[in-house]
Amino acid sequence: MSIEKYFCASPWLHMRIDPQGNFRPCRWRSRVVTELDWGNISRDSAIEYFQDNLSSLRKKMLSGEPSAICSDCYHMEEHGKVSGRQRQLLKVGISTENFIKTLASSTLLEDFHHSDQKQGHTDLVPQDWQIDLGNFCNSACIFCTPEFSSRLALEYKKLGLIDQLPGPNWADDPILVDKFCEILENSSSLAYLHFLGGETLITPAFKLILEKLYERGFSKTHIGFTTNLTVWPDDVIELLARFENLHVGLSVECLHSLNDYVRWPSNIDQVQNNLSRWINLAKKHDWYVQIRPTPNCFTIFHVDTLYQFAYDNDVGIETCNFIERPMELRINALDPDLMHMAKQKIKNFLDKNKKEEFGSSGQIVNTRNKNTLKEQVWQDASSYYNYLQNESYDPILSQNLTKFVKLFESNRHNSILDYLPEYENFLRNHGY
């Protein structure tokens, strides 16, 4: 067992509430696992759940045992990608490159000792939340899932991929919204709140919660959110401007018409226009802005356009963890020839923008540092180069990919070959 390899501070800092109001231990966990029972805001105390129900996870961390919940982070680190584990450790002064020494000086060292003596219990409360408001969304991204897109959920049901729609969104219930705001108000050490949808900016609960937070004196709390760049609601944006520390996540997959296919039915011209508007607004208000793609087996072919844009415009970029669901869109569904072509395009970006120009060394874990934006972009691109170099091709995924794509295209009346003609031989060979 290795505490250096598997320890994470997240169970002492962070909690997530999912679209149905379930309490979950981590924002980076994408796989469905049953290692922990989920609490729910409708019936459980968030603080008691955090302090007691996560005890078993803390015990694993303290004993150096791996956890299925953390598998996405392990996968990221295998390919040199900065993981959520590394980010959470940095928040308490721990570096994975100098683990033992920095653990001894961590700001939470006494709390780790307390949990070790109390079978994983902690007296702390969450100071970092990911708040999934529900699945109310105007888009049906092909790589998304029904629990995060109401439009996609209807399509999944129509196509026979699910028998019933996801349950109601917790944030549609004003009583639960009030309850959650009370949880936040009673958390004296609150540091960061990140909101997701659906499409966050059109979800009514987002505006409602922001208003309550502002009224209750949280204007200096760091607020983050992610938008799909298809809307521009002036009233919500004016409300956001009241907060002093804003982190803006901009979801776009590539600066190519392929983005319209995977983020159906978006329009790349509108997306690029809103992308520029957010970047300019962020500069005006001194907000931190990041481009937040989720590369899949299609967009990996043009993700270099996004890296170059971010690099040229001094904008942060932080890709999500390597895509796991839907399985059909995993990047290693591509055959070796296409993986090589995608890898070469990323290599061209890396070669064009030499790392030596930065003058820095070591892995950048603090991706919110505005002084290392170009290094961050280069580093993120390198992680996908490493993935394409080292991850094994899975031919079963290729067969499933073509079935998956054809099913959606039968409803959307489009064709991936209109956007990616380079994939024709590969897709035809697998039944397209």
Side-chain angles (χ1 to χ4, degrees):
M1 301 300 177
S2 172
I3 190 170
E4 299 176 43
K5 185 175 181 180
Y6 299 119
F7 185 80
C8 180
S10 194
W12 285 267
L13 298 172
H14 165 64
M15 200 154 72
R16 172 184 178 186
I17 182 168
D18 77 5
Q20 282 72 54
N22 297 311
F23 299 134
R24 298 193 177 188
C26 186
R27 63 166 52 92
W28 288 281
R29 187 205 64 80
S30 67
R31 306 184 195 200
V32 176
V33 294
T34 57
E35 190 170 328
L36 288 172
D37 294 327
W38 307 134
N40 190 281
I41 192 171
S42 64
R43 63 176 185 269
D44 300 308
S45 161
I47 303 305
E48 289 180 7
Y49 180 84
F50 179 77
Q51 293 178 339
D52 297 325
N53 289 49
L54 298 188
S55 294
S56 60
L57 183 57
R58 293 188 198 98
K59 287 171 64 178
K60 280 195 170 186
M61 299 295 178
L62 292 164
S63 62
E65 294 180 43
S67 169
I69 290 172
C70 306
S71 56
D72 286 351
C73 280
Y74 305 154
H75 195 202
M76 285 188 271
E77 291 175 26
E78 286 175 11
H79 297 292
K81 184 172 177 59
V82 176
S83 69
R85 182 181 86 95
Q86 290 172 294
R87 293 190 180 99
Q88 297 296 71
L89 287 172
L90 184 64
K91 291 176 182 178
V92 298
I94 301 175
S95 165
T96 54
E97 294 181 351
N98 194 0
F99 183 86
I100 298 300
K101 183 177 180 179
T102 54
L103 173 63
S105 60
S106 170
T107 57
L108 288 188
L109 183 62
E110 290 185 8
D111 296 285
F112 299 151
H113 285 317
H114 169 88
S115 297
D116 195 30
Q117 295 166 0
K118 300 292 184 179
Q119 298 298 307
H121 172 83
T122 185
D123 292 328
L124 298 171
V125 298
Q127 58 177 280
D128 170 12
W129 280 89
Q130 175 168 308
I131 305 161
D132 297 329
L133 295 167
N135 71 344
F136 183 49
C137 194
N138 60 341
S139 296
C141 302
I142 197 169
F143 57 88
C144 193
T145 57
E147 66 177 322
F148 295 108
S149 168
S150 53
R151 186 166 184 167
L152 186 67
L154 292 171
E155 192 172 18
Y156 260 63
K157 192 170 188 299
K158 178 181 178 181
L159 296 173
L161 293 172
I162 55 174
D163 296 326
Q164 58 185 17
L165 298 175
N169 300 318
W170 73 272
D172 292 342
D173 185 336
I175 294 176
L176 296 182
V177 170
D178 276 337
K179 183 178 180 180
F180 186 71
C181 288
E182 289 176 6
I183 294 169
L184 299 181
E185 191 172 19
N186 293 325
S187 301
S188 58
S189 58
L190 199 63
Y192 182 58
L193 305 173
H194 192 88
F195 293 88
L196 290 176
E199 169 46 39
T200 316
L201 295 181
I202 63 172
T203 300
F206 181 53
K207 183 179 179 182
L208 179 61
I209 293 175
L210 286 178
E211 289 172 339
K212 289 179 179 292
L213 288 171
Y214 185 77
E215 291 169 2
R216 299 182 188 192
F218 287 92
S219 62
K220 295 184 179 181
T221 300
H222 286 73
I223 303 291
F225 69 93
T226 303
T227 174
N228 64 17
L229 295 172
T230 64
V231 295
W232 190 269
D234 289 319
D235 57 337
V236 178
I237 293 169
E238 289 173 6
L239 178 57
L240 286 165
R242 299 179 189 176
F243 292 85
E244 297 182 19
N245 300 293
L246 214 61
H247 295 169
V248 184
L250 307 174
S251 289
V252 55
E253 305 310 314
C254 56
L255 299 182
H256 182 278
S257 60
L258 174 62
N259 194 75
D260 296 345
Y261 179 90
V262 295
R263 285 190 166 271
W264 186 82
S266 67
N267 177 277
I268 188 61
D269 292 331
Q270 178 192 39
V271 165
Q272 288 190 264
N273 180 58
N274 284 337
L275 174 64
S276 297
R277 292 177 76 182
W278 275 113
I279 291 172
N280 291 333
L281 190 63
K283 289 179 180 178
K284 175 183 176 182
H285 291 284
D286 196 29
W287 295 339
Y288 185 73
V289 62
Q290 274 188 327
I291 296 173
R292 300 296 302 275
T294 307
N296 57 62
C297 63
F298 294 142
T299 57
I300 192 66
F301 199 79
H302 288 299
V303 73
D304 61 305
T305 61
L306 215 51
Y307 284 128
Q308 194 62 60
F309 175 87
Y311 189 92
D312 291 341
N313 290 274
D314 285 325
V315 177
I317 188 166
E318 184 178 316
T319 54
C320 300
N321 39 322
F322 297 118
I323 188 169
E324 293 290 340
R325 293 188 301 155
M327 291 180 61
E328 294 85 352
L329 294 177
R330 291 180 182 177
I331 297 171
N332 61 326
L334 299 180
D335 66 18
D337 288 341
L338 280 177
M339 289 181 76
H340 176 75
M341 291 172 66
K343 181 180 68 174
Q344 189 59 47
K345 295 185 75 174
I346 294 177
K347 185 176 186 300
N348 291 342
F349 164 79
L350 296 173
D351 289 345
K352 178 182 176 182
N353 308 284
K354 299 292 186 181
K355 185 177 182 181
E356 290 75 16
E357 296 175 4
F358 312 141
S360 63
S361 60
Q363 190 177 43
I364 299 169
V365 178
N366 180 11
T367 57
R368 301 288 167 86
N369 183 350
K370 293 182 180 180
N371 297 317
T372 58
L373 292 175
K374 290 186 184 298
E375 294 96 318
Q376 293 172 40
V377 175
W378 199 94
Q379 177 176 275
D380 199 277
S382 296
S383 72
Y384 276 89
Y385 177 84
N386 293 338
Y387 180 100
L388 291 164
Q389 177 80 7
N390 301 318
E391 195 76 6
S392 299
Y393 167 52
D394 188 340
I396 295 177
L397 294 179
S398 302
Q399 299 289 349
N400 294 336
L401 169 64
T402 52
K403 295 176 184 177
F404 186 77
V405 165
K406 287 171 66 177
L407 185 62
F408 280 92
E409 291 182 355
S410 69
N411 185 60
R412 300 179 179 188
H413 307 293
N414 57 5
S415 171
I416 185 61
L417 297 183
D418 290 336
Y419 303 87
L420 276 177
E422 297 90 346
Y423 279 44
E424 181 165 9
N425 288 340
F426 164 69
L427 291 172
R428 298 292 187 203
N429 289 338
H430 291 91
Y432 184 77

